[in-house]
Amino acid sequence: MKISRQAESEIPEFSSHELACEYFKNKYGNLFMMMSSEFIEDQKVYFYSLILDRKVFENGRKQMLKDGFMVDALDFMNSYQSIEIFEDGRIHILH
């Protein structure tokens, strides 16, 4: 279910974070989760994870909170795909 570069090229353009977020929420439901946000060059950027393997993702997060590190960091990194949505609706999907 990872978003390919081809699939990314077919995602419509958005005029706001809210519209982009709504698109991904409708498409992926609770597999699309906001992780954090911050200001970059005077624009708020929202960081989301598209969960590809919920069990590995949740276990990795729990282990990080508990121990401060992960034994299977590579498995954890492959359990989600990062999506950044800018306040103006631009998106950036990490591949």
Side-chain angles (χ1 to χ4, degrees):
M1 159 180 24
K2 194 171 190 179
I3 301 171
S4 68
R5 291 186 190 279
Q6 174 65 35
E8 180 181 5
S9 71
E10 297 168 3
I11 295 172
E13 290 187 18
F14 306 102
S15 59
S16 70
H17 162 257
E18 291 79 11
L19 291 173
C21 181
E22 182 180 338
Y23 171 86
F24 285 103
K25 278 285 189 191
N26 286 336
K27 188 162 181 83
Y28 299 106
N30 66 357
L31 297 176
F32 181 69
M33 296 175 47
M34 187 167 92
M35 306 308 289
S36 65
S37 65
E38 67 180 67
F39 279 91
I40 299 176
E41 296 181 9
D42 298 328
Q43 185 167 180
K44 195 165 189 179
V45 181
Y46 299 84
F47 299 93
Y48 290 88
S49 290
L50 175 59
I51 310 305
L52 306 173
D53 184 328
R54 184 168 298 281
K55 182 178 178 183
V56 172
F57 182 80
E58 293 297 336
N59 287 340
R61 286 179 40 156
K62 286 177 189 174
Q63 187 177 25
M64 271 299 287
L65 290 172
K66 180 180 170 231
D67 302 328
F69 67 93
M70 269 179 237
V71 175
D72 297 320
L74 187 56
D75 286 342
F76 176 72
M77 289 175 55
N78 289 323
S79 72
Y80 68 96
Q81 185 172 23
S82 296
I83 301 173
E84 301 168 0
I85 303 178
F86 292 77
E87 196 170 31
D88 65 6
R90 288 180 292 138
I91 61 169
H92 179 244
I93 298 175
L94 279 70
H95 296 278

